[in-house]
Amino acid sequence: MTELFVRTLREDPADAEVPSHRWLVRAGYIRRTAPGIYSWLPLGYRVLRKVEAIVREEMDAMGAQEVHLPALLPREPYEATNRWTEYGPNLFRLKDRRGNDMLLGPTHEEIFALVVKDLCSSYKDLPLSLYQIQTKYRDEARPRAGILRGREFVMKDSYSFDLDDSGLQKSYDAHRDAYIKIFNRLGLQYEIVSAMSGAMGGSASEEFLGIAENGEDTFVRSPGGYAANVEAVRIPPAEPLPYDDLPAAHVEDTPDTPTIETLVAVANERVPRPDRPWQASDTLKNVVLMITEPDGKTRYPLVIGIPGDREVDAKRLEAQLEPAAAEPFGEADFAAHPGLVKGYIGPGALGEQSATKIKYLVDPRVGVGTRWVTGADQPGKHVFDLVCGRDFTPDGTIDVADIREGDPSPDCSGPLHLARGIELGHIFQLGKKYAEALGLQVLDQNGKLTTVTMGSYGIGVSRAVAAVAENTSDEKGLAWPPEIAPYRVHIVAAGKGTEIAEYAHELATRLDEAGIEVLLDDRNVSPGVKFADSEILGMPTIVVVGRGLADGLIEVRDRRTGERSDIAVADALPHLLALIREGSAADLLV
Amino acid sequence: MTELFVRTLREDPADAEVPSHRWLVRAGYIRRTAPGIYSWLPLGYRVLRKVEAIVREEMDAMGAQEVHLPALLPREPYEATNRWTEYGPNLFRLKDRRGNDMLLGPTHEEIFALVVKDLCSSYKDLPLSLYQIQTKYRDEARPRAGILRGREFVMKDSYSFDLDDSGLQKSYDAHRDAYIKIFNRLGLQYEIVSAMSGAMGGSASEEFLGIAENGEDTFVRSPGGYAANVEAVRIPPAEPLPYDDLPAAHVEDTPDTPTIETLVAVANERVPRPDRPWQASDTLKNVVLMITEPDGKTRYPLVIGIPGDREVDAKRLEAQLEPAAAEPFGEADFAAHPGLVKGYIGPGALGEQSATKIKYLVDPRVGVGTRWVTGADQPGKHVFDLVCGRDFTPDGTIDVADIREGDPSPDCSGPLHLARGIELGHIFQLGKKYAEALGLQVLDQNGKLTTVTMGSYGIGVSRAVAAVAENTSDEKGLAWPPEIAPYRVHIVAAGKGTEIAEYAHELATRLDEAGIEVLLDDRNVSPGVKFADSEILGMPTIVVVGRGLADGLIEVRDRRTGERSDIAVADALPHLLALIREGSAADLLV
């Protein structure tokens, strides 16, 4: 510790919102260099490299081959797949000294496809899985939580190349199995959930979400085993209902009702429903958005109709619209569209067939035969008993309403349970999208050129460090699992005597000789400071060499459980080696 | 080989000028992704990682601590040291989505200084050496020779932090020793030479130049042990000579003499020298340049006077002017400076005190009392017996004339010998330049704030791969030293029998179990193709399992020496293990 480049902080950094960020900074594992861009200090880099080593071992074991492609890339391949544009402001773009457009790679499907195109020509060259562990770049709108969502980060990305769908499925399954092994070795709690493929394209994808209350992703689980990122949950379309017996639509005065709550109150007062009071779910809320295509120029309004008791979920919306982006409809937008009466917008003014020609999509719950209280396109008026399929016909459906705890599961097995998670990995069956765009073909068994089908698989390596810290840190600091701890044992020389210092040093040397990574706190500071630091730094086993030494005893502490026991100096080395090699401290403490 | 992602090429790539580039591409170790930007394929990446491992071991052994700083960096720290500007077009610059200026790190003095400033506050925190192995970016004007000079490359950069000069000297020496160990382990032939610090600043620097005829750097050695990059060779200033007895200067008609050759010829014809013919070294050539400061805006002319038998060396000039850049003086520039008579420019029109106010620097050989034939600032006329210090006074000296084989060494030990080399490493005593610019201070033993003194040390890790290939490849392909070969043994199953395939596979398995990295050529191609590929790929030991197997024999070939010997199948494993573990193939072949 007298030589180690580390400095612990007594206070939380001002910008740290989550435990992993707070403790990694306080323990001197990382430091911020710019927003979303971090420096790895010695202890942090040791953890990162150990995580990398686990990833590498499991990728090698599944037969993937390691390569290393550039991070600074030419525009052209990303132009061919349209991602140069679709990535929008998330892509770091730059020009070189000759004025050529370049980018910092956010993910490498294009470049891998090209290198495989260069080297492979026959079905005999397939199947093929390649991977790299590399620094990636995404200009996140909201970098947050330290290394959980950074703009520069380390990723393991791999790509599979197969002749056909069954080959792709095998490669996908092999990656899935390897990911399970990796996250198990990291000691992470996670769920494998159905996911959106988003800008990546392709047919199927799953995410590995590390279960964490501070996770950015929300996912659902059903009693029957269905699990999905909320972005990917699809509400089944409503069955058409008969509407012949429903009353005709009628417009009513409902002054001062710009919100659903005010509308329900006024409706119950002025147009009471005979059987039961009106409730928010009887109303149809029309949310107006301005859509911008990734070219940044094409802009148009979109109205989304959802039951009044639901909200549009920003992430589900983003996932559905990607690569286009949505913004709230501003005052200037309303002024430019006088057909939209703010607060009283109804289906009458909407749809590509209407006078406004504004696209109108509705929640899947708004099926044929459902009846609604909704805007009448006049200030202070709403229309009642407006029936979908009779009185209005939307342009289509869009599934972006929020998902709630207890909502029925799409697998019909019962209510959905919601939880939050950190995206640790994402596996995609891409299909032929990239291979087609870049002309990646091989000769098949019949000598015919056939387009290769691809998979793409990512693990956030630096993010995994944060995810483990998020799961394992406690109110005292970090608490690493042994396999990725920077050091396995932290020896605290607590007390002033030369004997203490000498024995601590000797024990450290002995453990080191036995191949155990040891951190020795040999600083000339108080035992209290040393104890606090040992808890912040989080090595799995803390050995205290202190006053007990006079009685031939040292203390062994398990950082995670807090259990302590005194052991005899005479047994110290075999005891510690047994503890480290054979099991947890708890097993061995008497 | 049936699974390995590799493809050898029968033809040299069109853009490959040097052997390392040619063979690394032909053997499928690397592929070009963009100019100066390469992808590392599996075999190449194995070599790169082995070189990295050697560098890491030796850096750790000398007590440096590994960290990992970002490659994408904010402008401000580089603004503080002026390198944002001084790097000129070599720096990749970009803006993030919020319009902030960023850069891709070419080297990290600033960021290391800041992180040390963040963590260290006392002399007790020093000495400190930190390093990283990281991808670096420089937008080279002329990326060339594959990975020898790329725009994205892997570098080990380290930085030392000390309280005073003697500490810096110790850190510098420790790095120097570690570099010697690293390059020795890589089996490289190199020379440690004095170097220019250039844009890096600082007081002293040395380069490790890998001796290679295709190297970009030229260096000199003297019989007495002086060694320097030609950029750093300093000609001793001429001693002043008495000039009282010299004849007065006189202008002569010398029509049609725009060059030194024509001038010498005409002078010998029209103004013969009594004692001996005029020669080029009697003339003073004035070379006009247009200088541009790194801001890209400030431009001014500079004239350099050198003996007519010498040329201005472009790299020595660049090194002296850095960070400013020089271009030839164009027609438009001459038109803008009518005081300069093209082809007949003399000292009379030059100097900051002259009418033209153009800065005039001369070669150190142009000392007080030297007499010259030089331009008379009139078309067709030269001035003879113009004496420096009597008839003209330059604004100063500049040491940029070319250095030639046989020139006297500055250490007076005899003639200089020239050779070419590849810059493998560069070590700098930076001093306080960066620490001052960024406010890096610590409390010294007396509690006084003192500015830290820094060293900076770099190894081109990816370049080292090319340098080894440059040194070891031959007319058949690559030929790796064992410590960094992708695989130690290459087994060629040469022939069709199942027995051959089975035995080759068994031997590979046995070696693998013994911890030896083996590449097995199990492809269904002709023995000729396999032999050629084994020579291109360059593993140190090639084992041929072929027709001899019927007689219980296999053949062992040393890739580098070409020596072959048959060994008995019964002895194969112990023989190979002994060969690999104990020495070169040559030692063991009978």
Side-chain angles (χ1 to χ4, degrees), chain A residues 388-590:
Chain A
C388 183
R390 182 188 77 180
D391 302 322
F392 70 98
T393 308
D395 297 319
T397 59
I398 185 166
D399 192 1
V400 295
D402 53 0
I403 304 291
R404 296 177 184 169
E405 182 76 23
D407 276 353
S409 171
D411 73 351
C412 303
S413 71
L416 288 176
H417 174 60
L418 266 68
R420 296 182 71 85
I422 294 166
E423 187 186 350
L424 301 169
H426 201 158
I427 53 179
F428 295 90
Q429 295 194 19
L430 291 179
K432 305 196 170 190
K433 172 182 163 175
Y434 292 88
E436 258 158 19
L438 295 160
L440 169 56
Q441 297 186 309
V442 295
L443 292 171
D444 69 11
Q445 294 90 333
N446 306 313
K448 227 183 74 184
L449 273 177
T450 184
T451 299
V452 169
T453 184
M454 289 173 60
S456 159
Y457 317 90
I459 288 179
V461 177
S462 43
R463 180 181 285 177
V465 174
V468 174
E470 196 68 25
N471 276 185
T472 55
S473 62
D474 58 23
E475 74 291 349
K476 291 176 181 168
L478 299 166
W480 296 106
E483 194 164 357
I484 61 170
Y487 293 92
R488 182 63 187 79
V489 175
H490 185 143
I491 299 180
V492 174
K496 296 215 164 177
T498 1
E499 259 184 51
I500 288 175
E502 275 170 11
Y503 179 74
H505 190 269
E506 189 197 320
L507 184 61
T509 307
R510 288 282 173 83
L511 287 167
D512 183 66
E513 285 166 0
I516 309 298
E517 292 171 322
V518 186
L519 180 63
L520 169 63
D521 193 346
D522 53 352
R523 293 175 300 167
N524 188 18
V525 297
S526 77
V529 167
K530 289 186 181 183
F531 293 146
D533 277 348
S534 73
E535 283 171 331
I536 291 177
L537 295 178
M539 307 314 148
T541 301
I542 300 167
V543 176
V544 181
V545 179
R547 280 177 304 178
L549 189 65
D551 305 322
L553 293 173
I554 58 174
E555 187 185 83
V556 178
R557 301 182 180 180
D558 184 282
R559 170 65 186 86
R560 187 141 0 161
T561 64
E563 288 179 86
R564 304 172 178 205
S565 83
D566 285 334
I567 60 173
V569 166
D571 298 339
L573 196 68
H575 183 106
L576 283 166
L577 292 178
L579 182 157
I580 288 161
R581 290 178 180 155
E582 282 155 42
S584 76
D587 299 339
L588 285 150
L589 295 172
V590 186

Side-chain angles (χ1 to χ4, degrees), chain A residues 72-109:
Chain A
L72 179 61
L73 299 170
R75 166 177 177 160
E76 293 71 21
Y78 287 79
E79 189 75 46
T81 59
N82 209 30
R83 293 211 296 181
W84 172 263
T85 305
E86 285 180 4
Y87 256 111
N90 285 321
L91 194 65
F92 281 107
R93 296 175 181 82
L94 67 158
K95 281 187 188 292
D96 74 4
R97 65 192 293 152
R98 299 188 193 282
N100 296 309
D101 278 319
M102 307 201 75
L103 60 103
L104 298 181
T107 171
H108 278 63
E109 283 73 11

Side-chain angles (χ1 to χ4, degrees), chain B residues 90-269:
Chain B
N90 284 321
L91 193 64
F92 281 107
R93 296 175 182 82
L94 68 158
K95 280 186 189 294
D96 73 4
R97 66 193 291 152
R98 299 188 193 281
N100 296 311
D101 279 319
M102 306 200 76
L103 59 103
L104 298 180
T107 171
H108 279 62
E109 282 73 9
E110 285 83 350
I111 312 298
F112 272 84
L114 286 176
V115 78
V116 170
K117 182 181 174 180
D118 182 3
L119 267 72
C120 297
S121 55
S122 156
Y123 71 95
K124 293 179 199 160
D125 299 325
L126 308 183
L128 175 68
S129 282
L130 301 173
Y131 78 99
Q132 61 177 351
I133 297 175
Q134 195 215 31
T135 304
K136 292 279 190 294
Y137 296 89
R138 289 185 200 163
D139 199 357
E140 296 281 352
R142 292 169 297 277
R144 63 177 284 276
I147 51 172
L148 262 184
R149 178 172 292 274
R151 298 197 295 168
E152 172 175 315
F153 54 96
V154 180
M155 189 168 146
K156 187 288 299 174
D157 47 328
S158 39
Y159 306 88
S160 65
F161 302 86
D162 283 280
L163 203 62
D164 54 29
D165 288 350
S166 73
L168 171 57
Q169 186 67 49
K170 274 184 207 143
S171 297
Y172 182 91
D173 291 343
H175 274 90
R176 197 177 191 273
D177 289 346
Y179 279 32
I180 288 171
K181 288 181 186 146
I182 289 166
F183 296 125
N184 286 349
R185 283 180 67 181
L186 292 175
L188 284 161
Q189 299 293 315
Y190 61 91
E191 186 86 31
I192 305 173
V193 306
S194 300
M196 290 292 289
S197 295
M200 195 68 80
S203 57
S205 88
E206 287 172 293
E207 282 171 327
F208 288 73
L209 293 181
I211 298 165
E213 56 186 280
N214 292 302
E216 284 192 306
D217 284 274
T218 305
F219 66 97
V220 300
R221 282 184 283 211
S222 80
Y226 170 84
N229 191 309
V230 286
E231 293 172 9
V233 174
R234 290 288 76 86
I235 301 296
E239 291 292 313
L241 301 173
Y243 50 77
D244 291 349
D245 299 340
L246 296 183
H250 46 106
V251 173
E252 304 288 344
D253 275 334
T254 52
D256 302 324
T257 52
T259 66
I260 297 298
E261 294 73 36
T262 51
L263 171 61
V264 169
V266 168
N268 279 324
E269 187 189 317

Side-chain angles (χ1 to χ4, degrees), chain A residues 211-384:
Chain A
I211 298 166
E213 55 185 283
N214 293 303
E216 284 192 307
D217 284 274
T218 305
F219 66 98
V220 300
R221 281 183 285 207
S222 80
Y226 170 83
N229 191 308
V230 286
E231 293 172 9
V233 173
R234 290 290 74 88
I235 301 296
E239 290 293 314
L241 301 172
Y243 52 76
D244 291 349
D245 299 337
L246 295 182
H250 45 107
V251 172
E252 304 288 343
D253 275 333
T254 52
D256 302 324
T257 53
T259 66
I260 297 299
E261 293 74 35
T262 51
L263 172 59
V264 169
V266 169
N268 279 324
E269 186 188 316
R270 301 179 65 128
V271 199
R273 181 168 161 151
D275 53 343
R276 60 161 172 81
W278 295 108
Q279 51 198 37
S281 57
D282 299 321
T283 69
L284 179 62
K285 176 165 64 180
N286 292 301
V287 180
V288 201
L289 300 165
M290 181 57 79
I291 306 300
T292 307
E293 293 286 340
D295 64 9
K297 288 168 209 155
T298 315
R299 304 180 82 233
Y300 53 87
L302 169 69
V303 180
I304 296 176
I306 63 168
D309 64 331
R310 299 261 165 190
E311 300 297 332
V312 170
D313 180 303
K315 296 190 89 176
R316 279 164 56 74
L317 176 69
E318 192 185 328
Q320 286 296 311
L321 295 179
E322 212 178 16
E327 289 161 277
F329 212 66
E331 288 303 325
D333 296 320
F334 274 109
H337 292 85
L340 298 177
V341 182
K342 195 176 172 186
Y344 299 91
I345 300 167
L350 303 170
E352 287 169 344
Q353 305 303 321
S354 73
T356 62
K357 296 194 159 45
I358 292 175
K359 189 166 188 179
Y360 183 46
L361 302 175
V362 296
D363 186 82
R365 294 171 187 86
V366 185
V368 168
T370 53
R371 60 198 274 215
W372 302 95
V373 180
T374 185
D377 301 309
Q378 303 169 54
K381 290 183 193 295
H382 280 86
V383 55
F384 287 66

Side-chain angles (χ1 to χ4, degrees), chain A residues 3-7 31 33-34 37-42 45 49 56 65-74 89-90 92-94 96-98 102 104 111 115-116 118-120 128 130 137 139-141 151-152, chain B residues 3-7 31 33-34 37-42 45 49 56 65-74 89-90 92-94 96-98 102 104 111 115-116 118-120 128 130 137 139-141 151-152:
Chain A
E3 287 166 12
L4 184 65
F5 184 58
V6 68
R7 182 183 184 178
R31 279 292 187 276
T33 297
I37 298 178
Y38 282 79
S39 292
W40 293 84
L41 305 186
Y45 197 54
R49 280 181 47 82
R56 180 172 282 121
Q65 298 179 55
E66 187 170 12
V67 298
H68 202 78
L69 272 50
L72 179 61
L73 299 170
N90 285 321
F92 281 107
R93 296 175 181 82
L94 67 158
D96 74 4
R97 65 192 293 152
R98 299 188 193 282
M102 307 201 75
L104 298 181
I111 311 300
V115 77
V116 170
D118 181 5
L119 267 71
C120 297
L128 176 68
L130 301 173
Y137 296 89
D139 199 357
E140 297 282 352
R151 299 197 293 169
E152 171 173 317
Chain B
E3 287 165 13
L4 184 66
F5 185 59
V6 69
R7 181 180 184 180
R31 279 291 187 277
T33 297
I37 298 178
Y38 282 78
S39 291
W40 293 84
L41 304 186
Y45 197 54
R49 279 180 48 81
R56 180 171 283 122
Q65 298 180 55
E66 187 170 11
V67 296
H68 203 76
L69 271 49
L72 179 61
L73 299 171
N90 284 321
F92 281 107
R93 296 175 182 82
L94 68 158
D96 73 4
R97 66 193 291 152
R98 299 188 193 281
M102 306 200 76
L104 298 180
I111 312 298
V115 78
V116 170
D118 182 3
L119 267 72
C120 297
L128 175 68
L130 301 173
Y137 296 89
D139 199 357
E140 296 281 352
R151 298 197 295 168
E152 172 175 315

Side-chain angles (χ1 to χ4, degrees), chain B residues 6-22:
Chain B
V6 69
R7 181 180 184 180
T8 56
L9 304 177
R10 296 284 155 246
E11 305 290 333
D12 288 341
D15 62 341
E17 305 152 16
V18 302
S20 61
H21 185 191
R22 184 158 64 236

Side-chain angles (χ1 to χ4, degrees), chain B residues 461-583:
Chain B
V461 177
S462 43
R463 179 181 285 176
V465 173
V468 174
E470 196 69 27
N471 275 183
T472 54
S473 63
D474 58 24
E475 73 293 348
K476 292 174 179 170
L478 298 166
W480 296 107
E483 194 166 357
I484 61 169
Y487 295 93
R488 182 64 186 80
V489 175
H490 185 144
I491 300 180
V492 174
K496 296 216 166 179
T498 4
E499 259 185 53
I500 287 175
E502 278 170 8
Y503 179 75
H505 190 271
E506 189 197 319
L507 184 61
T509 306
R510 289 283 174 80
L511 285 167
D512 184 64
E513 287 165 356
I516 308 299
E517 293 172 321
V518 186
L519 179 63
L520 169 63
D521 194 347
D522 54 352
R523 293 175 301 168
N524 188 16
V525 298
S526 76
V529 168
K530 291 186 180 184
F531 293 147
D533 277 346
S534 73
E535 282 170 332
I536 290 177
L537 296 179
M539 307 314 146
T541 301
I542 299 166
V543 175
V544 181
V545 180
R547 281 177 305 182
L549 189 66
D551 305 323
L553 293 173
I554 58 176
E555 188 184 87
V556 178
R557 301 183 180 179
D558 184 282
R559 171 64 186 86
R560 185 138 7 158
T561 64
E563 286 178 87
R564 306 174 178 202
S565 83
D566 286 333
I567 61 172
V569 167
D571 299 338
L573 195 68
H575 182 107
L576 283 166
L577 292 178
L579 181 157
I580 287 161
R581 291 178 180 157
E582 282 156 40

Side-chain angles (χ1 to χ4, degrees), chain B residues 60-82:
Chain B
D60 288 344
M62 69 151 273
Q65 298 180 55
E66 187 170 11
V67 296
H68 203 76
L69 271 49
L72 179 61
L73 299 171
R75 167 177 176 161
E76 292 71 21
Y78 288 79
E79 189 74 48
T81 60
N82 209 30

